[in-house]
Amino acid sequence: MEEFVGEIWHKLISRQANTDFANAAVQLDPLQSQLATYYRALGGAPGVSIDGADERVIRTHRRFAQKLAGSHLRFAVAWQDDRSLRLPVKLAFFEDPELNLELYYWLTAMAARLPRMRHWLKDNQRATLELFEHRPKLQQSYQRLAEACIALRPDPSTLKDSLGERERLLQQAILQPGTVDELPGAKGAPNPIPLWIYPPPWQDLMVETEDDLDDQGEGSPQEQPTVEGSRKQAKRFDDSKQTDGLMVFKLEALFTWAESVDLDRPQEENLDEDLEGAAEDLDIITLSKKRRAGSSNIKFDLDLPAPQNDDLPLGDGMKLPEWDYRKQIMLDDYCLLQPMLNDEAMPEPIPEELRAQAKILRNRFSQLRPNKTWQRKQPYGDEIDMDAWLEHLTQIQNTRQSPRHQNFYKHRNDPQRELACLLLSDLSLSTEANLNDDKKVIDMIRETMVLFAEALSGSGDPFAIYGFSSIKNKQVRYQMLKNFNEPYGDEARGRILAVKPGFYTRIGAAIRQSTEILKMQKAQQRLMLILSDGKPNDIDRYEGRYGIEDTRRAIQEAKLAGLQPFCVTIDEQGNDYLPYLFGDQGYAVINDVNRLPQMLPKLYLNLTGLAG
């Protein structure tokens, strides 16, 4: 009975305190791609991504019902930094869903005009006026939003002293941007203004991190759940000099067997596995400098295999540069790329389930092979040219003279298209993800590479296949699966079928090495196909905008070298960042991973102009 009454009371108070319009809510997730394009079109930084904003504590003046309900302590507001623009995951501020949708676009436009914030009040008014000047059509939308916003804010006359004066000036700044320079001091913070951009949350930079791979626990890599929605704030805590502590308790405080009470205490059966829910409940996640795992079930396996169990390193590796967008400089010899070869992979025939598709692709692509022709009257060649010999005899009989040049051979001409292709495949740990009960992403990648190789072996076009993964800048593993000089057969197929996922995605270095390999091919058209399943990332700073900018720089270097890079991804969020990396026509997003093996050969035909 008490629980029933408490539940009714909670619903009643919460209903009185609630200020959102749940029926008019608009979600950020389906709009992210459109807002990213809109942001860049208005002049926003190209490498900035759009993510959900976590709620932050803002101590405003609350009504009695809100205090009783314990609500309105945290608000999701829009803000941005160098890496991303953070927008509320859901907007239900207005009763009209159209206004909530317009608010998303207005906040995106404001962020594009306000990359840096020095003064919250003045900068938001200035950015609003600049949008009015450069984008006059936005003024009508803003007026609708401003009037609806003012209608939902408290009446200044009902607030006491400086609270009322501050609210009056804020409403004036909303309706008449540029007319307010200062606000009077008042207790607490004003109610959030949904039309404005807020400063980034304060971050506690307590510890400089030193990521040492040797300090990590043992364990096996496994697929980690991803918490969708807003990104979490984090702070680092230096516990490297602290002990593990000492637990002190009184022995007499322990229950004896006779004193134990049999209570019905329901509990979660999968406490160790519910890490996603735990992360979602935390407001700020504290990162320890120590690398010792707190539980045997929560570990990171980033150790390299033992040398006797690892692939064969081809040489001592090569040092490659990396682009640091923050400093706007190229870091020379920053990455160590290590070519690898699986010398223990056994030669393999075409898998039974792929034979039918492989036969169809080989037959189709073999029809694209240029026809061989004979060149007659050659000084040397494959066979004797009997016609040329008879002509020679006839000429001697008629002229009584022997011709100066005796070209009595014919040579079979095997024409080759001026075309070379390199397929670069992402072999990072994320490809270990399950597609269904039977297959993983890496299984589809293996099938895609095999069928692609079967198709190009039928056409006779030169091609090479490489894979890559990375562990920081210390080792970018560059797997040689088939090079340009090697004929495609069971040995190369065996290496492809034996690939295993692992580690991370430092794609910039892999693209630079692939560029150098393709530059050596004497072909008029040199195509670099990149097969990936997500954004560039690694366990050091190579994530977010840093990884995006380095990848973009590597792609630009490839284009300047006369290559044609093209990305094929299965990442559903690919439309958010791939246009910035490859251009609007330089990528393809495959929504159904099962279609990937059939789609890649078709894309090759379209990109090389052989589809017709």
Side-chain angles (χ1 to χ4, degrees), residues 238-257:
D238 187 2
D239 61 347
S240 58
K241 298 181 180 180
Q242 294 188 3
T243 63
D244 292 334
L246 176 66
M247 180 181 293
V248 180
F249 62 93
K250 296 180 180 181
L251 291 175
E252 59 269 20
L254 294 177
F255 276 121
T256 66
W257 181 264

Side-chain angles (χ1 to χ4, degrees), residues 4 42 62 78 86 96 111 119 168 187 253 279 298 304 337 347 375 386 401 435 437 444 478 512 598:
F4 176 75
L42 293 181
R62 296 186 294 166
R86 309 294 181 89
D96 185 357
H119 192 283
R168 184 188 68 79
K187 183 179 179 180
I298 309 173
L304 289 169
L337 183 136
Q375 291 181 320
M386 296 301 299
Q401 295 180 357
L435 291 175
D437 295 338
M444 301 307 300
Y478 195 70
R512 289 186 175 94
Q598 294 79 30

Side-chain angles (χ1 to χ4, degrees), residues 3-163:
E3 293 181 1
F4 176 75
V5 173
E7 185 177 353
I8 296 298
W9 173 254
H10 173 72
K11 290 182 179 180
L12 177 63
I13 297 300
S14 299
R15 190 181 301 114
Q16 294 295 323
N18 187 34
T19 56
D20 288 341
F21 298 95
N23 293 333
V26 176
Q27 302 290 335
L28 172 64
D29 187 58
L31 298 173
Q32 279 183 303
S33 177
Q34 304 171 36
L35 293 176
T37 304
Y38 187 65
Y39 177 80
R40 298 184 183 100
L42 293 181
V48 172
S49 62
I50 294 184
D51 298 305
D54 197 17
E55 292 182 343
R56 65 169 72 174
V57 176
I58 302 180
R59 303 191 181 281
T60 63
H61 179 74
R62 296 186 294 166
R63 295 186 284 110
F64 175 75
Q66 294 170 349
K67 293 180 181 179
L68 194 61
S71 62
H72 291 72
L73 287 172
R74 307 180 62 84
F75 300 87
V77 294
W79 58 277
Q80 71 172 335
D81 56 16
D82 292 339
R83 296 176 52 191
S84 59
L85 166 61
R86 309 294 181 89
L87 299 175
V89 177
K90 176 183 68 175
L91 278 179
F93 189 79
F94 300 114
E95 190 174 6
D96 185 357
E98 292 295 328
L99 288 178
N100 291 320
L101 179 62
E102 284 187 35
L103 181 55
Y104 267 128
Y105 282 93
W106 172 256
L107 289 173
T108 304
M110 283 283 287
R113 301 298 304 184
L114 199 58
R116 293 286 187 277
M117 181 172 293
R118 295 178 177 84
H119 192 283
W120 173 72
L121 179 66
K122 294 180 181 179
D123 287 353
N124 275 289
Q125 294 181 83
R126 174 183 56 80
T128 302
L129 293 176
E130 289 180 359
L131 284 175
F132 289 171
E133 180 182 356
H134 296 92
R135 309 287 176 182
K137 292 184 179 180
L138 289 177
Q139 188 167 358
Q140 296 180 355
S141 175
Y142 177 80
Q143 291 298 331
R144 290 192 298 270
L145 292 171
E147 292 173 1
C149 178
I150 295 298
L152 296 174
R153 295 187 68 82
D155 186 353
S157 61
T158 62
L159 301 176
K160 297 180 180 179
D161 303 328
S162 57
L163 289 175

Side-chain angles (χ1 to χ4, degrees), residues 364 368 602 604-612:
R364 180 181 178 184
L368 304 175
K602 293 180 181 179
Y604 175 81
L605 294 177
N606 292 331
L607 292 171
T608 55
L610 300 176

Side-chain angles (χ1 to χ4, degrees), residues 282-299:
L282 291 174
D283 298 326
I284 298 178
I285 300 177
T286 302
L287 304 179
S288 168
K289 189 174 182 180
K290 288 185 179 179
R291 287 303 186 96
R292 290 178 297 178
S295 169
S296 60
N297 292 333
I298 309 173
K299 292 183 178 178

Side-chain angles (χ1 to χ4, degrees), residues 165-360:
E165 178 63 14
R166 183 179 66 183
E167 181 62 30
R168 184 188 68 79
L169 290 175
L170 282 175
Q171 294 188 15
Q172 177 182 330
I174 295 172
L175 294 174
Q176 302 172 10
T179 60
V180 179
D181 292 332
E182 293 182 358
L183 295 176
K187 183 179 179 180
N191 287 350
I193 300 177
L195 308 180
W196 287 3
I197 303 295
Y198 277 70
W202 178 78
Q203 297 180 356
D204 186 10
L205 301 179
M206 298 174 56
V207 181
E208 292 185 2
T209 60
E210 294 290 343
D211 294 325
D212 295 325
L213 296 175
D214 295 338
D215 295 337
Q216 295 166 0
E218 300 177 353
S220 58
Q222 50 186 308
E223 181 186 358
Q224 298 297 329
T226 301
V227 180
E228 301 292 341
S230 62
R231 286 189 178 182
K232 293 294 182 181
Q233 299 178 39
K235 68 176 182 179
R236 295 193 180 272
F237 176 69
D238 187 2
D239 61 347
S240 58
K241 298 181 180 180
Q242 294 188 3
T243 63
D244 292 334
L246 176 66
M247 180 181 293
V248 180
F249 62 93
K250 296 180 180 181
L251 291 175
E252 59 269 20
L254 294 177
F255 276 121
T256 66
W257 181 264
E259 293 172 324
S260 63
V261 182
D262 185 14
L263 295 179
D264 183 13
R265 295 180 179 177
Q267 61 181 4
E268 299 286 344
E269 295 182 356
N270 58 342
L271 292 178
D272 292 334
E273 300 176 3
D274 193 17
L275 302 180
E276 180 179 352
E280 187 68 26
D281 293 339
L282 291 174
D283 298 326
I284 298 178
I285 300 177
T286 302
L287 304 179
S288 168
K289 189 174 182 180
K290 288 185 179 179
R291 287 303 186 96
R292 290 178 297 178
S295 169
S296 60
N297 292 333
I298 309 173
K299 292 183 178 178
F300 298 93
D301 186 347
L302 300 176
D303 295 327
L304 289 169
Q308 62 270 23
N309 298 325
D310 201 1
D311 295 340
L312 176 67
L314 303 179
D316 297 329
M318 54 197 71
K319 293 182 179 180
L320 297 175
E322 186 168 282
W323 174 250
D324 187 339
Y325 85 96
R326 297 189 185 97
K327 299 179 181 178
Q328 291 293 298
I329 60 173
M330 186 69 78
L331 305 176
D332 294 330
D333 298 338
Y334 186 75
C335 293
L336 179 63
L337 183 136
Q338 178 62 65
M340 309 290 289
L341 176 68
N342 188 349
D343 59 333
E344 295 184 355
M346 300 299 295
E348 294 286 349
I350 303 175
E352 183 67 31
E353 64 273 14
L354 298 180
R355 288 184 181 177
Q357 299 180 58
K359 182 177 180 181
I360 294 174

